[in-house]
Amino acid sequence: MQFARINDVAIHYQVIGGPADKPVLVFVNSLGTDFRIWRDVIVRLAGDFAIVVYDKRGHGLSEVGQTPYSMEDLAVELAGLLDLLTVKNAYVCGLSIGGMIAQALFERRPDLVKALILCDTAHKIGTAETWNARIEKVEAEGIEAIADGVLEKWFTAAFRRPENTSFAGYRNMLVRQPLTGYLATCAAVRDADLTEVARHISVPTLCVVGDQDRSTPPELVLSTSRLIADARYEVITDAGHIPCIEQPETLTAVIRTFIRSITN
Ligand SMILES: O=C(O)CC1=CCC(=O)O1
């Protein structure tokens, strides 16, 4: 099965690797992307973990469902998916809004979370003004109108070379997300402030960020790590906002080292 109805939304997911008695590692994707962004990390980890990936609502092959929706709704859907798969105590790795969903999941259902890997994310991302400006432009002109600006934040200049076919592919991923899902997800990020949630996180947590991330820059991710008791902080060189695409080998090594350090 690759689709499940959760919280009245058809959610697209996959379980990869295993066998099922391996520790579970969950990946949560960012705004404007679907779960294929994790592919180059998943292939490196699939022998050692049962990996759960899914498209949060409004993205990829998942439905948008009723709008508006909140960070809480997005966490309810992740919890529903993990309950469906009878997963408990997972390592949860979320990128950007995915990291916000991971924090909200811990607040709501700590039984589901053994540790958090918060990747290029924060307790609060952007301001109401910046999100409202983006929403207005996308409503008026579509995702295409903001794509080049967003991609400059996502990727380093080296990755954005015109001859890089991966860059062309991920540009397609961004502009082909469902418009209503993209807009509703921007609003969910705008309205979420997880400062208090982060202060109450009590599982081992790694905050990791690309050195050239222009969406959630290193200083912001560092400030989030300082809210979380004993959180670790790592910077990945030569990466923008999406290290799982630009530096999958390094990100995989960072994830492995972190998980080993908390299990040994
Ligand atoms: O699109 C961006 O600016 C980056 C981003 C912010 C929240 C998210 O998930 O991605």
Side-chain angles (χ1 to χ4, degrees):
M1 275 268 264
Q2 289 194 57
F3 294 91
R5 186 158 293 282
I6 296 165
N7 201 21
D8 210 20
V9 185
I11 295 290
H12 177 218
Y13 72 96
Q14 285 184 10
V15 181
I16 300 165
D21 62 347
K22 294 278 183 194
V24 177
L25 176 54
V26 181
F27 287 108
V28 194
N29 54 301
S30 57
L31 173 67
T33 69
D34 62 50
F35 71 53
R36 288 173 290 187
I37 59 169
W38 298 107
R39 190 252 172 212
D40 290 348
V41 172
I42 289 172
V43 293
R44 291 174 164 87
L45 293 172
D48 298 326
F49 295 89
I51 292 171
V52 176
V53 273
Y54 77 110
D55 294 333
K56 69 187 168 303
R57 80 150 73 170
H59 286 72
L61 298 185
S62 293
E63 287 179 344
V64 179
Q66 289 245 319
T67 61
Y69 48 80
S70 64
M71 204 59 70
E72 179 68 14
D73 293 318
L74 292 160
V76 164
E77 283 136 26
L78 176 53
L81 177 62
L82 297 181
D83 283 341
L84 178 86
L85 299 171
T86 63
V87 165
K88 290 236 185 269
N89 283 318
Y91 300 105
V92 182
C93 175
L95 176 75
S96 203
I97 185 179
M100 299 182 98
I101 297 169
Q103 294 171 66
L105 177 73
F106 175 76
E107 183 197 27
R108 188 178 178 82
R109 290 287 305 276
D111 58 308
L112 299 178
V113 182
K114 188 179 179 72
L116 289 168
I117 299 153
L118 302 179
C119 192
D120 300 75
T121 188
H123 53 292
K124 174 139 187 66
I125 300 179
T127 62
E129 290 71 32
T130 57
W131 286 112
N132 286 337
R134 188 186 302 201
I135 288 167
E136 274 171 37
K137 192 157 179 77
V138 172
E139 272 171 348
E141 299 171 51
I143 300 177
E144 183 65 50
I146 55 142
D148 290 336
V150 167
L151 291 161
E152 279 180 20
K153 298 185 197 175
W154 281 10
F155 296 120
T156 62
F159 192 86
R160 285 185 275 115
R161 293 181 331 277
E163 68 274 20
N164 180 4
T165 48
S166 297
F167 177 60
Y170 287 112
R171 189 181 199 288
N172 288 339
M173 183 182 278
L174 169 61
V175 300
R176 292 178 189 175
Q177 294 304 318
L179 184 64
T180 50
Y182 187 84
L183 289 167
T185 307
C186 286
V189 179
R190 176 195 63 198
D191 297 341
D193 182 343
L194 302 176
T195 309
E196 285 312 308
V197 172
R199 285 202 175 106
H200 290 103
I201 291 174
S202 56
V203 284
T205 300
L206 168 68
C207 295
V208 54
V209 61
D211 63 344
Q212 293 167 56
D213 183 341
R214 292 181 52 209
S215 293
T216 53
E219 317 80 72
L220 175 64
V221 178
L222 180 62
S223 73
T224 297
S225 75
R226 287 182 172 150
L227 294 173
I228 302 171
D230 300 325
R232 299 173 204 186
Y233 173 73
E234 293 255 0
V235 178
I236 294 186
T237 48
D238 298 324
H241 187 57
I242 315 190
C244 52
I245 291 175
E246 279 200 86
Q247 298 297 341
E249 191 158 351
T250 308
L251 180 62
T252 305
V254 165
I255 291 173
R256 258 192 212 290
T257 304
F258 170 64
I259 290 179
R260 272 198 198 120
S261 76
I262 60 176
T263 45
N264 290 335

